[in-house]
Amino acid sequence: MKQKKKLHQKNSTFGIVILLMAIFIIFFNIAKENHTLAQKNENYKLSDTYRNESLLDRAMFVTERDDEVTIAVLGSSVTFGKGATEDQPVWGDLLEADLNGMDGINAKVINHGYSGYSTADLISREKIEAVVKDKPDIIIFELCLINNNRYPQNDINQTKLDIQWIMNRFSEELPDTLVILQTANPTIYNDVFLEDGKVTYDQYNNEISEFITTQQWPFIDTYHLMQTKMEDQNLTIEEILDDNVHPNGVGYGLWFELLKERLNMPVKELH
C-alpha cells in the first residue's frame, strides 16, 4: 500500500514537472515570437520603404509578417455599398479583389459602412470602438460628409472636432495602423442649400478637405478627383448615381479607379 502511495506521489510529481516544462516552452515560444515581431516592425520602420510608404508597401509587409493584412473600411452608406450589386460591387470589395490578385498580398477587407451615419453617429453609437476591436492594419475612413451635410446639417466646426476625435482615438488605440481618410462621391446636391443648411455639399467638402490637408493626414480627395475623372470620361452625374446620392456600379468603379491609381503612391503624397 505504501509502495503504491509512493508511486502515485512520484507520478504526480513527474506530471507536475512535465506540465511546468510545457508551460515554460509555451511562454518561451511566445516571448521569442513577440521579440521577432518587434524586430520585424523595427526593421521596417527604419527602412527606406517605410520612409516612402504606400498602401501597397504596408499591405505587403503585413502579409509577410502575419500571412494576412486586415483592412477596415469605415464610413457611411457609400462605404457600406448602397447602390452596388453583386456584379458591380462597392469600392471596398473591388479593393479586396484587386489586392488579392497581386503577388505577396493576402488581404481581408472588413466593411464598417453604416447607412445614414454622420461622424457624430460613428462616435455616439460606438462604431469607432468596433473598428478598434478588429485591430486592423489599415483603415480607409470615408468621412460621412454626405450625411454631415444633410437633414439636419452638422455644424462644420463640430465635424472637424469629430474627425480629430476619431483620429486621436485611432492614434491612441492603434498606433501602428495606417489610417487614410477620403471624401465621398459627388451628388446632385453639390451646389444646393438643403433645408436649414448654411453651406452646400461642395462648400462642405472644400472646407473639410482644407482642414484634413492642414493636419497632414494621408488623404484622398475623392469628391474633387471624381469630378475631374467624370469630365475626362464625359460622364454626367446621372450616369454614375443609382439615385440622387448613392453611386451605381459605374460610380463605384470610378471611385475604385481613383483609389487604385494611388495604391502605390507614398501616403504622404496622397491627394
Side-chain angles (χ1 to χ4, degrees), residues 119 141 143 145 148 155-168 181-183 202-221 224:
T119 50
F141 175 22
L143 296 166
L145 300 188
N148 279 48
D155 179 78
I156 201 161
N157 289 318
Q158 183 59 49
T159 295
K160 294 175 185 178
L161 292 174
D162 291 346
I163 295 169
Q164 183 71 66
W165 187 94
I166 292 169
M167 292 298 287
N168 288 345
L181 292 78
Q182 63 172 342
T183 48
D202 186 73
Q203 291 170 329
Y204 215 106
N205 272 283
N206 290 340
E207 187 160 341
I208 293 299
S209 296
E210 183 178 349
F211 168 70
I212 299 298
T213 302
T214 301
Q215 305 306 309
Q216 297 186 322
W217 291 320
F219 176 53
I220 300 175
D221 192 354
H224 292 102

Side-chain angles (χ1 to χ4, degrees), residues 25-216:
I25 290 170
I26 290 171
F27 277 98
F28 175 79
N29 287 335
I30 290 174
K32 184 178 179 182
E33 183 178 341
N34 288 341
H35 176 75
T36 302
L37 177 63
Q39 190 60 53
K40 283 184 178 179
N41 290 341
E42 185 65 19
N43 290 344
Y44 182 66
K45 288 185 176 181
L46 292 173
S47 69
D48 290 335
T49 300
Y50 183 72
R51 293 187 183 94
N52 295 286
E53 181 184 45
S54 67
L55 189 152
L56 279 186
D57 291 326
R58 179 65 67 96
M60 287 181 180
F61 167 69
V62 175
T63 299
E64 180 182 0
R65 187 191 68 190
D66 300 337
D67 298 323
E68 182 180 68
V69 57
T70 301
I71 302 172
V73 294
L74 170 67
S76 64
S77 55
V78 295
T79 292
F80 175 74
K82 185 171 174 58
T85 65
E86 186 174 347
D87 293 332
Q88 294 182 306
V90 66
W91 59 269
D93 290 349
L94 292 170
L95 174 64
E96 182 179 62
D98 190 70
L99 290 176
N100 283 323
M102 298 181 186
D103 291 336
I105 297 180
N106 179 29
K108 177 176 73 172
V109 171
I110 303 175
N111 193 311
H112 285 277
Y114 303 97
S115 293
Y117 274 51
S118 65
T119 50
D121 294 326
L122 292 179
I123 295 170
S124 65
R125 300 180 191 181
E126 300 187 350
K127 301 307 181 182
I128 304 307
E129 306 310 314
V131 174
V132 169
K133 187 176 179 180
D134 283 336
K135 297 181 179 179
D137 305 295
I138 298 170
I139 297 170
I140 303 177
F141 175 22
E142 174 258 308
L143 296 166
C144 301
L145 300 188
I146 291 174
N147 294 320
N148 279 48
N149 184 60
R150 309 176 73 219
Y151 312 130
Q153 186 174 94
N154 293 17
D155 179 78
I156 201 161
N157 289 318
Q158 183 59 49
T159 295
K160 294 175 185 178
L161 292 174
D162 291 346
I163 295 169
Q164 183 71 66
W165 187 94
I166 292 169
M167 292 298 287
N168 288 345
R169 186 71 180 145
F170 287 152
S171 178
E172 292 165 4
E173 296 295 326
L174 303 168
D176 295 323
T177 297
L178 172 62
V179 183
I180 298 173
L181 292 78
Q182 63 172 342
T183 48
N185 57 282
T187 75
I188 68 163
Y189 301 114
N190 291 354
D191 300 310
V192 175
F193 287 94
L194 299 175
E195 185 178 354
D196 298 326
K198 296 180 180 179
V199 296
T200 65
Y201 180 51
D202 186 73
Q203 291 170 329
Y204 215 106
N205 272 283
N206 290 340
E207 187 160 341
I208 293 299
S209 296
E210 183 178 349
F211 168 70
I212 299 298
T213 302
T214 301
Q215 305 306 309
Q216 297 186 322

